Amino acid sequence: MRILLTGAAGFVGSHLAERLLREGHQVLGVDNFCTGQRQNLEYLTPFAGFSFFEADAERPLEVAGAFDWVMHFASPASPPRYLKMPLETMRVNAEGTRHLLELALARKAAFFLASTSEVYGDPLVHPQPETYWGNVNPIGPRSVYDEAKRYAETLTLAYRRTYGLPVRIIRIFNTYGPRMDPEDGRVVTNFIAQALRGEPLTVYGDGSQTRSFQYVDDLVEGIVRLMAVDYPEPVNLGNPEEYTMLELARLVQELAGTSLPIAHEPLPQDDPKQRRPDIRLARELLGWEPKVPVREGLLRTIAYFKEKGTIGRLP
Ligand code: NAD
Ligand code: UDP
C-alpha cells in the first residue's frame, strides 16, 4: 500500500512508519519538525519505500499520486508544547484534518485520525469507555488541544456520514518509549531525564493524580490491527496499568537506580485527576491488548536514553 503519514518525525509517527515500511508498504512522511526530531527519520531513510516531504500539515499538501491511506498523526502532543503553540495546535487538528480528509476523498484513500484520551477531559467516569462524552473545559488552556481533537473526530465522522469515506479514529492514552524528545516536558521523559541527570524528580501537585502508561509497540500493533477492520467510530488504545504520579516517580527512581527526594511543583490548571482506558472494545474488535508491562517498557526507554547519551550521564 502507499501511505501518507503526517507527523512521521515524531515519537509515535516514526515507530508507526517503521512498522509499515517493515511490512513492505510505501510511506510518504510529512513533518514540519515543530515538535519532532530529525534524528527520528534515521530509522526510516534506510527503507527504499520511504520518502519524506517537509511541509506544514495545516495547509493543503502538494503531493502527487494515489494513496491507500492518509494517516494524520501531526500535532504537538505534550501539554507544555501545545500550550506554547496554541493556535498551531488548533490549526493542524482542525484545518489540517479538513485538508487531509479532502485529500483522502480525492485520492480514494481511507483516512486514519490519531485522537486522544484528552477528549475525556477531567473524566468523571473511570475507567473511560468510548461511550463516555467527557468533561472538557472548553475555554481552559488545555482546550486548544482537547477541543481541536474533539472537532477533528466530529469532522472525520461527518465526512464518513456525508461521503461514505472509510475512516478510523483512535483515542491514544499516555504512550511512552524510545524516540521521545527528552525535552518535551511529558511526565515519563521528565522523570527519566531527571533521574539520569541526578536531579530531583518534579511531581506536580501532591502526585495523587493518575495516568495509565502504554508502551509504543503496543500502540503500533493496535493501529495496524485497526487498519484491517472496518470500524469508523473511536477506539481506545491504552494500557490499563494505572499509577499515581508519586508511584511513577518512585518506580522510575528504582529502575534508574537513584533515590533523591521528590520536588513538588504546582499542579497545572485543569490537569485531569484520573485516567485509565476501558479497552473492552479493542479487545473484542481487534483481539488486541497491551503486552509490555510498564516496568519492562520503562527499562527499555531508560536504556534507550542512556545509549543515545542525549540526556547526560548517570550520576
Ligand atoms: P510528537 O510531538 O513526538 O509528534 C508529533 C509530530 O507532528 C512531530 O514530529 C511534529 O513535528 C509534527 N507536527 C506537528 N504539527 C505539525 C504541522 N503543522 N505540520 C507538520 N508536522 C507537524 O508527539 P507524539 O506523541 O508522537 O504524538 C503523535 C500523535 O499522537 C499526535 O497527533 C498526538 O496528539 C497523538 N497522541 C499521542 C499521545 C502520546 O501519549 N504520545 C497520546 C494521545 C494522542
Ligand atoms: N507531571 C508531573 N511531573 C512532570 C510532568 C508531568 O507530575 O514533570 C504530571 C502532570 O501534572 C500530569 C501527569 O504527570 O498529572 C501526566 O502529564 P503529561 O504531561 O505527561 O501528560 P497528560 O496526561 O497530562 O497529557
Side-chain angles (χ1 to χ4, degrees), residues 173-174 176 211-215 218 237-242 275-277 279 288 290-294:
F173 284 67
N174 297 65
Y176 68 96
R211 294 292 186 275
S212 305
F213 295 97
Q214 163 173 245
Y215 190 66
D218 285 328
L237 291 178
N239 186 334
E241 237 188 290
E242 183 179 5
R275 185 182 293 154
R276 174 154 61 102
I279 58 166
W288 170 92
K291 295 271 184 271
V292 183
V294 170

Side-chain angles (χ1 to χ4, degrees), residues 4 61 63 67 70 98-109:
L4 186 146
L61 297 174
V63 288
F67 293 99
V70 172
R98 183 169 72 81
H99 294 311
L100 290 160
L101 282 161
E102 285 291 333
L103 183 70
L105 203 54
R107 306 291 167 91
K108 299 191 172 21

Side-chain angles (χ1 to χ4, degrees), residues 76-94:
S78 126
R81 292 265 165 93
Y82 64 67
L83 294 174
K84 270 197 202 115
M85 291 185 275
L87 297 175
E88 292 85 344
T89 301
M90 293 194 77
R91 284 196 297 260
V92 73
N93 284 298

Side-chain angles (χ1 to χ4, degrees), residues 14 17-18 21 27 38-52:
S14 70
E18 184 178 341
L21 290 162
V27 176
R38 280 178 198 276
Q39 67 185 40
N40 285 343
L41 297 181
E42 289 169 14
Y43 300 95
L44 311 179
T45 44
F47 291 90
F50 183 67
S51 50
F52 183 74

Side-chain angles (χ1 to χ4, degrees), residues 69 101 110-115 130 152-162 164-171 226-236 281 285-286:
W69 283 95
L101 282 161
F111 179 79
F112 197 116
L113 177 69
S115 184
E130 290 84 351
E153 289 192 5
T154 308
L155 195 62
T156 299
L157 283 168
Y159 270 71
R160 163 78 177 191
R161 291 180 186 127
T162 308
L165 182 73
V167 302
R168 308 285 190 278
I169 301 171
I170 51 168
R171 293 182 177 154
L226 184 59
M227 290 169 79
V229 172
D230 185 11
Y231 186 85
E233 295 193 3
V235 179
N236 287 342
L281 177 61
L285 187 68
L286 312 174

Side-chain angles (χ1 to χ4, degrees), residues 216-227:
V216 65
D217 289 359
D218 285 328
L219 171 63
V220 168
E221 180 62 31
I223 293 170
V224 169
R225 287 187 189 210
L226 184 59
M227 290 169 79

